Structures are given as C-alpha cells and as structure tokens.
Amino acid sequence: MSKQVKKVGILTAGGLAPCLSSAVGYLIAEYSRVAPEVEIIGYVNGYMGLLKGNSIRVTPEVRANALFLTQHGGSPIGNSRVKLTNVKDCVKRGLVKEGEDPQKVAADQLVRDGVDVLHTIGGDDTNTAAADLAAYLAANGYGLTVVGLPKTIDNDVYPIRQSLGAWTAADEGARFFANVVKENTANPRMLIIHEVMGRNCGWLTAATAVAYRRLLDTFDYLPAFGLTRGREEVHAVYVPEMAFDPQAEAARLRGVMDAHDCVNIFVSEGACVDAIIRELEAKGEEVPRDAFGHPRLDKVNVGGWFAKQFGEMLGAEKTMVQKSGYYSRAAAPNAQDKELICACAEKAVACALAGVGGVVGQDEDAGGELRACEFPRIKGGKPFDIDAPWFDALLADIGQVKGAKVAVAH
C-alpha cells in the first residue's frame, strides 16, 4: 500500500437508504480481510458525531460478525443532516461554538482521533459536504484521505450511474403499493395517489412503477368476478422532469375512472413543487427549508395537491394519498443492490489504502468504470432521462402521452 493507514473512521449521513448498514458491514469485512491491523471507528449520527467527537469502536466481535449488518436496513451508527459549511446552522444546533469553523472543528477531531481515512456514506449533500471537507483538509495540510460511497434512492448524483439502494427502494415501493391499491375496492370512484420520494429526480417514481407492473405480471385475475388488472394498473406517472397538460390528463383519466371505477397515480414528491410553493406563498404561507436550503417537502405536500386537483376533475368520490418513502428507504438491500454495495466497498477500501480520495461508484464519464470519482465532479440534481426507452415503454403501456422536458431547478 502506498499510504500507511492505521485508523479508519466511518460515518453515514442524510436520509436513510437500503444500503447504509450493508455498506458499513462490507467496509468492515473488507478491512478485516485485507488489512486486519487497521483500527476502525464509527462516528455516531454522521457529521454531528464527528463535530462532537462521539464515536464507537469496531471491536473484534463486530469484525467477526460484520456481515450481519447486510441483513438490515437503517444505519447501525445513525444519521443526521449537518452541512459543515452552514456555520450558522451548526452554531444554532450547538454543534460548534460561536466563531468556530465547523470544517476546522471536524478536521481537528479527526486528527485527535488519529484517523487516516474517513469513509462517508451518503447522498449528494453528504458527499458534497465530504468534498468540501476534503478540499479543506488538503488546503490546510491535513494528511487525511476521504473516500465516499454514493447513497441516494433518488439515483441523482453526478457522475454516478447507479447509486446504492435505489434498486431496492423501487422494489419496496412496488410491494408497498401492491397492498395499498386494494383500497380501491373499499369505495367507488376511488383516486389513489402514490407519492414516491424524489425531490428533483423522477427516476425512483418511474422505476417503482415499472417494478410494480412486473409484480402485477405475477398475479392471476378473475374478470368474471370483478377482479381485473385494470383496477390495479398504474394509470399515470408524473415526474419533475416532464411537463403535462392537466386538462388533457384529466380528460384521459376521467375515462379510466369511468371504465375501472378507480384511478392510480404515481407521482414524485418533487413534481410541480415550484408551482405549489408559488401558490402557497401567494397565500402568505412560508415554506420552511432544511440546513441545505431545500424546501421541506412534507410542508409542500405534493401528493395532497395532486389529490385535490385531480379529485375534483375526475369526480372522485374518495381520494387517498399514500407515501412509500419511509417504508422503502429503511429496507435491507435486495440481491442486486448487495452485489453493487459489496463491489463499491471493496473498491473503497482499495482506494483508501492507496491514498486515493473521491466517491466510489460507476463513473458515467468513464464508461461505467467502478472508480473513485473526483470530489469536484460530485454534485446532486442529476435529472432522470425521460427519453430512456424503458420509460417510453412504460408510458406507452399505460396510455399516457409523454410531456415535454422541463428544466428542474436544483
């Protein structure tokens, strides 16, 4: 190895995804396999634990049973949403004192802990924070390597082809809706809105719809007794990157409602957000934002807005909004994701021992090569490609006309 690594720190941050616990487990297992002498600690609750100096040691017992973590969702060391460059927020939350630079506090804590390599497991916010920290460490002479892993169920990190946990989230969302859809038998003229996570990117919504329709393919139906696939179908998919004509869609879906006595809509939680925020602010309502400046989507309530708009236009007798996000993101990874997580963890350890920083993933700019993508190239907000053939096929199957591309503000 070109760099002497004696101690490694691991943190998970941001929202949950079906990869965090497994990524920690695979990292520990790989270090135990190739460099068992390296000490490992986990910072509790992400960057919050780093700022507070709160960590737990990976013991021999944990090393021996590290792969137990791959059976679970969530994160064994906890998460938080902390932006090191948002000094005001860090001070307000008591993570640093007035006048302190959170990046320096974090860097000094890593030095005090004797950490040579920091592994960050998170989405675009986590890894842009890691990029900021890596730049600060380099500029100020700290001899420490930062190696990230890309976690986000939105699958929206440049230049990563496939982020960890996204496939699983789509499958879990499909299973969630397979139960929820039965509610359309509880009431005539039922409108069900399935709100799927995805602030700026519609990939997860589209992938969940495709996974759900694959699940429908496995069921048998009995039309002669009212049990039809048409009642359980995806009837519309709306994502942030695609415009649509509400009146035309309402006319189409009214026909679906008349034919099947129900309508099932899949919508990204970020679809039409700007329009909804303008509507709320015009009423004098303020939309709160998180530490990263993102609008609080639970306050925007996209699903509720869609239910109100379409419920009236379709003459729905009852509307229901169901959100699969927390169910999906807390799952343990499926086999496909486990394979990718394991490969990324092994590469991350190899990069760490060689002193190569960056975010490990399939680099779209390098033909999908699994490598440490340089931190300056990492950013969120990668849009879903609505011209992807599989998305065209989905819309064609459900009879929806694809709208024009729209620029999504990030």
Side-chain angles (χ1 to χ4, degrees):
M1 61 184 76
S2 63
K3 173 184 170 72
Q4 183 61 39
V5 176
K6 296 181 179 179
K7 192 171 185 179
V8 165
I10 301 173
L11 65 80
T12 61
L16 296 183
C19 65
L20 295 172
S21 184
S22 291
V24 173
Y26 282 127
L27 284 172
I28 294 171
E30 182 64 6
Y31 273 111
S32 299
R33 184 180 74 85
V34 302
E37 73 283 359
V38 173
E39 185 180 350
I40 307 172
I41 61 172
Y43 286 103
V44 179
N45 296 325
Y47 289 110
M48 180 179 289
L50 175 55
L51 290 173
K52 290 182 172 181
N54 185 10
S55 64
I56 53 178
R57 187 172 69 89
V58 173
T59 64
E61 179 187 3
V62 174
R63 284 181 183 269
N65 299 295
L67 294 184
F68 286 0
L69 297 175
T70 66
Q71 302 172 24
H72 298 272
S75 170
I77 51 180
N79 283 25
S80 65
R81 292 187 181 275
V82 175
K83 186 175 179 66
L84 297 180
T85 54
N86 189 337
V87 180
K88 183 177 179 181
D89 181 66
C90 288
V91 171
K92 179 181 177 181
R93 296 165 70 178
L95 301 178
V96 299
K97 298 175 183 176
E98 191 74 46
E100 288 184 322
D101 179 351
Q103 289 186 311
K104 186 175 189 308
V105 172
D108 289 344
Q109 185 62 52
L110 291 166
V111 171
R112 276 195 296 275
D113 290 338
V115 170
D116 303 298
V117 173
L118 176 65
H119 286 290
T120 58
I121 309 167
D124 57 299
D125 288 332
T126 299
N127 283 309
T128 51
D132 291 338
L133 179 58
Y136 180 89
L137 293 168
N140 291 276
Y142 291 83
L144 191 144
T145 303
V146 182
V147 182
L149 290 173
K151 167 241 68 169
T152 168
I153 60 175
D154 297 357
N155 198 28
D156 66 343
V157 178
Y158 287 106
I160 307 297
R161 175 175 292 174
Q162 185 68 33
S163 57
L164 310 183
W167 284 320
T168 302
D171 283 349
E172 293 294 328
R175 280 191 278 272
F176 173 89
F177 195 71
N179 283 2
V180 169
V181 74
K182 295 299 184 181
E183 287 293 328
N184 64 28
T185 66
N187 206 86
R189 296 193 73 81
M190 183 77 164
L191 170 62
I192 302 180
I193 307 291
H194 180 193
E195 183 180 314
V196 182
M197 283 188 167
R199 176 183 298 277
N200 297 312
C201 179
W203 182 91
L204 182 60
T205 300
T208 301
V210 170
Y212 172 68
R213 297 188 76 244
R214 281 199 305 265
L215 194 55
L216 292 184
D217 290 340
T218 69
F219 299 146
D220 295 314
Y221 294 92
L222 194 59
F225 204 63
L227 182 60
T228 68
R229 174 163 175 159
R231 289 184 64 89
E232 302 189 354
E233 259 293 359
V234 178
H235 298 128
V237 178
Y238 303 120
V239 297
E241 298 87 348
M242 184 179 73
F244 67 94
D245 181 338
Q247 297 302 322
E249 277 295 278
R252 179 180 73 85
L253 293 174
R254 182 99 188 199
V256 173
M257 180 71 84
D258 294 342
H260 299 292
D261 207 32
C262 63
V263 166
N264 308 312
I265 295 176
F266 280 46
V267 61
S268 298
E269 65 178 351
C272 299
V273 160
D274 291 341
I276 298 171
I277 290 177
R278 286 195 297 270
E279 186 177 302
L280 292 173
E281 290 177 342
K283 297 177 183 177
E285 298 181 33
E286 183 178 348
V287 177
R289 296 176 181 266
D290 64 19
F292 293 87
H294 303 314
R296 288 274 304 279
L297 293 181
D298 57 327
K299 303 301 181 183
V300 176
N301 192 12
V302 168
W305 185 85
F306 268 81
K308 183 176 186 301
Q309 304 299 317
F310 278 102
E312 294 173 358
M313 291 190 287
L314 303 184
E317 184 172 305
K318 183 177 180 180
T319 62
M320 172 183 288
V321 179
Q322 292 291 297
K323 304 180 181 184
S324 59
Y326 291 112
Y327 175 88
S328 298
R329 74 180 197 169
N334 62 18
Q336 189 178 22
D337 259 320
K338 276 187 177 181
E339 184 178 350
L340 180 60
I341 297 165
C342 181
C344 287
E346 290 176 354
K347 187 67 174 181
V349 171
C351 289
L353 295 177
V356 178
V359 177
V360 173
Q362 300 162 318
D363 189 342
E364 290 184 309
D365 298 332
E369 178 189 350
L370 187 63
R371 60 184 300 275
C373 302
E374 296 77 8
F375 276 117
R377 299 169 58 218
I378 301 298
K379 63 178 180 177
K382 182 177 71 174
F384 168 53
D385 180 10
I386 65 169
D387 290 330
W390 62 271
F391 186 61
D392 282 339
L394 167 64
L395 297 186
D397 281 351
I398 66 176
Q400 181 176 345
V401 176
K402 184 169 70 175
K405 282 187 177 181
V406 297
V408 181
H410 301 297

